[in-house]
Amino acid sequence: MINNKNEHASIKEVLWKNHKAIRFNAGGYEALMVPEVGANIVELKNVFKGVSILRSPNDNLEFEKFKERPQVYGIPLLFPPNRIEDGKFKLGNKVYQFPINEPKNHNYIHGFIKNDKWEITKKEIISEDQVEIEAIFNFNKEHSFYKYLPHEFQFKLLYNLSNKGLKQTTSIINLGSEKMPIGIGYHTAFNVPYNLESKDEDYRVIMSIGKRWVQDERNLPTGEILDLTEAEKKYANEGVMPLGYKIEAHYTLENIELDGSKFHGAIIEDLSKNMRVVYEMGEEYKHIVIWNDMGDKKYVCIEPQTCVINAPNVGLDKDITGFKTLAPKDTWIEKARIYVEDIG
């Protein structure tokens, strides 16, 4: 149902599925964050257009599944993104050995920050149609994962909600005395359909991709990078249906021209409504994964990443893989934005 009522911005602490959450509204959008599970934005709606953008847990039972597997709901932060072969990599003379949490492929997958509790440090109504919520995650020797990743750092998520949609600013500061490896990604889960009246076949995904990373049976890059097939080239123009068949692919993220302007990111179009959800990604996100969980579950994950899957072990130049290190006291920062607009 479309709601044309002009409501002022608001921020409320609520009990959602019997868990503490923050609901915030501004500019015709409404969002919900769960601080105790990765500060994940598990709901994002355009209330004026009646669009429910992100996949959310439906009930208390599914909320328990969300706590165990937050990567298939909302906008979960992956650190590091996707998989690390055998959970092991080397930086200089230091060897890192993460626990194996994908035993069938003997990989470490999706990081730990997505499940952890974050602290809310800012809740501010900027104007009658703009609000900001900030959450931080402090990591130090007291954390159980420190034995695997012996660095102190702070993650910060700043969300600005307005009539321009949800703007996300992610930053990480190295608080330690040694350089640390970083790779950041998001496993953003979009409802398809996001309009209740629409059908699966009404939808198309457009992505600003350049080349495809070849992956092996463990879903790890082989190091081979291929030109797009004719079918894959459709992602960059008319789009590809996101449901009805299995999709799991890994690409370089490059700029394309959209409506006469440079575009870096992904779009999910509803052709029956002449509407699209736009996912703009900052230039630091140089790689992307698309995955639809076999294509029969009414959602698709669009996953921007700063680096390729298994980046420190791929064996290619860092300019190609995107693998980064962060010097002591330095900060990495990048932005993304999700919004709804009419086509044409």
Side-chain angles (χ1 to χ4, degrees), residues 143 262 265:
H143 198 284
K262 182 180 73 172

Side-chain angles (χ1 to χ4, degrees), residues 227-247:
D227 290 334
L228 301 180
T229 64
E230 290 303 312
E232 288 172 323
K233 288 178 182 177
K234 291 182 179 179
Y235 274 119
N237 40 71
E238 68 258 41
V240 173
M241 282 184 58
L243 295 183
Y245 57 100
K246 178 182 177 181
I247 300 176

Side-chain angles (χ1 to χ4, degrees), residues 21 25 39 41 75 87 92 110 121 132 213 242 304 315 322 339 341:
N25 299 265
I41 303 289
I75 314 177
H110 290 336
T121 49
E132 285 191 344
W213 286 95
Y339 58 95
E341 68 177 12

